[in-house]
């Protein structure tokens, strides 16, 4: 459990909603019944009981009628909780700037709470402490000073990079891949033999595709995951080396199949060329010789360039021709269409035929 610097456990700070829950359990009253008795919505009652809302004076008064427990008891209980939170802020030196950072991270924290990676809390002080622990920082304001974030700053104006979101996204990648058991060390030569097997997975349903990719990459000493993307983190992929094993994370930011598969083989290009140190974040706004090399690798593995040049001389406006050529290259038609769009500099070209991936609810 998380503790502050002086050893006070957060578990000792109990939201008043827990007391309501105990009373209901003792009296065999459901939350729905309490909602009827108090005149508040079932959602409101649930949020108070689960610590997402505080007990207002009006709700405390309703509880007196519904449970025969004085209004003053509930108001005092809420007041004690509020005082403990204030004391916790002082002990842990929570800064006002950290509350502002929480606003930047609101989508991230909501996701982490939904996935039960961090506790669900309404109180911002507790959220700060939960995020400090998840992000392995004593102070959220330190994030922009971390070395890898400097690259993000160079592209931030044009690409709207939020360094707090970017860092949190990286930590989510680490969280998921650290849970995977990878028995072998990174084997570059074995990875080189897996290209066709990797391409075969693009014809599977998305969930099955990801499971199969995880297995293939695991055999090469790579922990692979597709991680949800967030606004403010324009990332194509993330590579991290841990004790001779590799983590590889991808997003589906732009949903189209050609972008996902081109990006994936782009990252594989970095791996086989060993163009990374302990970690490597592939921003979609960074150009250079290394990125160009990885792009060329992805193009050639997905589609044979000589055969593609011959195909382009034919009737590329005929979708059946595109399907036939895609089949010969063991790729989805959308992969070929995406390549043509780039070459023609026309991203409306046959877009309706491109496959798309979306997160399931």
């Amino acid at each position: 459990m998380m503790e502050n610097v002086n050893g006070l456990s957060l578990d000792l700070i109990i939201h008043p909603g827990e007391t309501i829950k105990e009373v209901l359990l003792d009296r065999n009253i459901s939350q729905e019944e309490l909602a009827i008795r108090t005149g508040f919505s079932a959602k409101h009652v649930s949020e108070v009981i689960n610590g997402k809302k505080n007990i207002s004076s009006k709700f405390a008064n309703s509880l007196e009628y519904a449970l025969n427990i004085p209004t003053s008891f509930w108001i005092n209980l809420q007041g004690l909780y509020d005082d403990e939170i204030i004391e916790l802020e002082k002990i842990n030196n929570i800064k006002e700037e950290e509350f502002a950072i929480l606003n930047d991270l609101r989508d991230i924290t909501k996701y982490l709470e939904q996935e039960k990676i961090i506790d669900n809390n309404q109180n911002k002080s507790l959220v700060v402490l939960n995020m400090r622990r998840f992000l392995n920082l004593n102070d959220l304001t330190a994030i922009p000073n971390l070395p890898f974030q400097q690259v993000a700053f160079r592209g931030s104006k044009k690409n709207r990079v939020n360094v707090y979101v970017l860092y949190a996204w990286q930590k989510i990648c680490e969280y998921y891949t650290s849970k995977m058991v990878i028995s072998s060390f990174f084997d570059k030569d074995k990875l080189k033999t897996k290209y066709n097997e990797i391409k075969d997975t693009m014809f599977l349903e998305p969930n099955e595709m990801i499971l199969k990719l995880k297995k293939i990459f695991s055999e090469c000493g790579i922990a692979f995951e597709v991680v949800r993307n967030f606004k403010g983190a324009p990332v194509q992929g993330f590579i991290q080396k841990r004790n001779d094993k590799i983590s590889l994370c991808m997003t589906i930011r732009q949903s189209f199949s050609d972008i996902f598969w081109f990006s994936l083989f782009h990252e594989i290009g970095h791996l086989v060329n060993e163009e990374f140190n302990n970690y490597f974040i592939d921003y979609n706004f960074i150009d250079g010789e290394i990125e160009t090399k990885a792009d060329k690798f992805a193009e050639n593995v997905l589609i044979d360039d000589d055969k593609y040049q011959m195909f382009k001389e034919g009737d590329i406006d005929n979708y059946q021709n595109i399907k036939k050529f895609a089949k010969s290259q063991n790729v989805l038609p959308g992969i070929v269409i995406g390549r043509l769009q780039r070459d023609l500099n026309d991203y409306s070209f046959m877009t309706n035929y491109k496959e798309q991936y979306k997160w399931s609810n």
Side-chain angles (χ1 to χ4, degrees), residues 15-79:
H15 189 274
E18 286 290 330
T19 303
I20 298 176
K21 185 188 295 184
E22 292 175 2
V23 172
L24 296 184
L25 184 64
D26 183 60
R27 300 185 186 184
N28 196 27
I29 298 175
S30 68
Q31 292 185 28
E32 290 76 12
E33 182 179 344
L34 182 63
I36 295 171
R37 289 175 180 272
T38 59
F40 281 76
S41 69
K43 180 181 178 183
H44 184 92
V45 170
S46 174
E47 289 182 336
V48 172
I49 287 176
N50 289 293
K52 294 183 180 180
K53 283 186 180 294
N54 290 332
I55 296 178
S56 65
S57 58
K58 186 176 180 180
F59 188 58
N61 185 246
S62 296
L63 289 173
E64 177 173 344
Y65 288 104
L67 301 176
N68 199 30
I69 298 175
T71 301
S72 59
F73 171 83
W74 299 111
I75 291 176
N76 289 337
L77 196 62
Q78 182 66 55

Side-chain angles (χ1 to χ4, degrees), residues 258-276:
D258 63 310
I259 296 176
F260 174 81
W261 286 102
F262 181 82
S263 298
L264 177 58
F265 276 100
H266 177 101
E267 300 309 318
I268 292 173
H270 287 313
L271 289 173
V272 297
N273 292 321
E274 297 186 86
E275 296 165 334
F276 62 94

Side-chain angles (χ1 to χ4, degrees), residues 111 117 134 168-184 210 213-214 217-218 221-228 237-243 245-251 278-280:
Y111 171 76
I117 297 173
F134 178 74
W169 183 83
Q170 176 205 336
K171 299 302 290 186
I172 291 173
C173 291
E174 292 178 8
Y175 172 83
Y176 283 121
T177 56
S178 66
K179 292 180 174 295
M180 298 179 185
V181 178
I182 306 297
S183 57
S184 61
I210 293 174
L213 285 173
K214 286 182 179 182
F217 282 117
S218 176
I222 301 168
F224 173 77
E225 186 60 271
V226 179
V227 179
R228 188 176 292 274
F238 172 65
I239 299 172
Q240 185 179 45
K241 186 176 181 180
R242 303 195 318 265
N243 301 323
K245 297 176 184 178
I246 298 293
S247 296
L248 170 60
C249 293
M250 299 293 301
T251 69
N278 290 329
Y279 66 81
F280 186 90

